[in-house]
Amino acid sequence: MINELEKIKDSVLLQDIKVEELSSMLGCLRGVIKHYKKGEEVLSEGAEIKKFGLLTEGKLQIVQYDYLGNKSILSIIEPKQIFAEAYAYVNKLPSMNVEALVDSTVLFLDSDKLSSPCQNCCSFHKQLVKNLLFIISNKNVNLTEKIECMAKRTTKEKLLTFLSLESIKQNSKEFYIQYDRQALADYLGVERSAMSAELSKLKNEGILEYNKNWFKLLQK
């Protein structure tokens, strides 16, 4: 457990919490470490959730499958990020799956213990709640951005909206995205072949340059 704490001690969730408090925090919040192999389900659609996860190592994806089995990627989870916190606090079963993209390790924390401080009045509780609110607010902003992309009618418009938002977030005309081609197509809800064709057109038109997950916008 100590090794896992070293990997996440500077995560947003644990910001401004003293290192010497981390072990006590895990005991108070009933922290549990679990390991997952590539392709394994971390959380399943319809399963009751009482704990939210903090990824200590690896990479996860949050996905939804429609009736026909078509996949839509909601987000990618990188180390030090949390997931499933919203479902852990509401009486509603999740309509999504969390899957391991690579071998991954997750620290699960009890949501009830976080929202209801114990009798010891641990000093880290107030800071944890503050950090959690910041994370949730930031995710709401990201969700709004995805809705903005999905609201566009054509693949070209969706691509340019997504890339423009990434450029603004990273404050640069040159930037890397976290998605490969298939993942980006799933995120935008478009066919990969159609998206690749649009990328080629945009490159030929001198609007952007790209190489794998690196992009450069040439025109506003």
Side-chain angles (χ1 to χ4, degrees):
M1 185 72 78
I2 299 299
N3 290 336
E4 300 305 325
L5 287 177
E6 284 295 321
K7 298 172 184 176
I8 58 173
K9 64 183 181 182
D10 57 345
S11 64
V12 177
L13 182 66
L14 304 181
Q15 184 176 330
D16 295 327
I17 294 177
K18 298 176 182 178
V19 175
E20 56 268 25
E21 291 180 317
L22 294 181
S23 293
S24 297
M25 182 202 74
L26 290 184
C28 188
L29 301 183
R30 297 176 181 174
V32 176
I33 290 286
K34 291 189 177 182
H35 304 279
Y36 299 91
K37 295 292 185 182
K38 178 181 178 180
E40 190 174 355
E41 279 192 350
V42 178
L43 294 175
S44 302
E45 178 181 356
E48 186 178 19
I49 296 178
K50 291 296 184 181
K51 295 176 179 287
F52 64 93
L54 172 57
L55 183 63
T56 68
E57 187 174 14
K59 182 181 285 189
L60 310 176
Q61 63 178 358
I62 299 179
V63 299
Q64 283 183 326
Y65 294 94
D66 64 18
Y67 184 76
L68 299 177
N70 298 311
K71 181 173 70 174
S72 176
I73 295 179
L74 302 183
S75 63
I76 300 293
I77 307 299
E78 302 282 356
K80 304 179 186 179
Q81 294 180 336
I82 66 172
F83 61 92
E85 70 284 354
Y87 286 104
Y89 282 101
V90 298
N91 187 25
K92 185 177 180 180
L93 300 180
S95 58
M96 51 76 175
N97 290 39
V98 180
E99 304 169 349
L101 287 172
V102 298
D103 292 353
S104 302
T105 302
V106 178
L107 168 63
F108 286 99
L109 300 172
D110 192 307
S111 56
D112 288 338
K113 291 294 182 180
L114 175 55
S115 58
S116 303
C118 62
Q119 294 179 346
N120 296 328
C121 296
C122 303
S123 60
F124 55 76
H125 262 111
K126 183 178 180 180
Q127 188 62 46
L128 272 174
V129 172
K130 181 180 178 180
N131 294 344
L132 184 61
L133 285 174
F134 173 82
I135 293 170
I136 292 174
S137 298
N138 190 57
K139 286 190 174 184
N140 283 336
V141 172
N142 291 336
L143 179 59
T144 300
E145 291 176 351
K146 176 166 184 177
I147 292 173
E148 185 177 348
C149 293
M150 296 297 291
K152 302 302 180 182
R153 300 186 65 179
T154 67
T155 298
K156 178 180 180 179
E157 289 173 332
K158 290 180 179 183
L159 271 171
L160 288 177
T161 300
F162 172 81
L163 294 173
S164 295
L165 288 171
E166 283 296 316
S167 176
I168 293 172
K169 283 194 292 185
Q170 298 188 39
N171 194 31
S172 176
K173 293 294 184 181
E174 297 185 49
F175 52 88
Y176 288 87
I177 66 173
Q178 63 182 154
Y179 303 106
D180 61 22
R181 289 291 181 271
Q182 185 59 58
L184 179 58
D186 291 338
Y187 177 84
L188 295 175
V190 299
E191 292 291 334
R192 176 176 176 174
S193 57
M195 184 191 72
S196 296
E198 287 297 339
L199 283 172
S200 295
K201 290 179 183 178
L202 291 169
K203 187 174 185 178
N204 291 334
E205 292 169 2
I207 296 176
L208 59 81
E209 293 180 0
Y210 62 88
N211 180 32
K212 296 183 179 180
N213 64 336
W214 171 86
F215 288 84
K216 181 179 182 180
L217 295 178
L218 302 177
Q219 297 181 18
K220 186 173 180 180

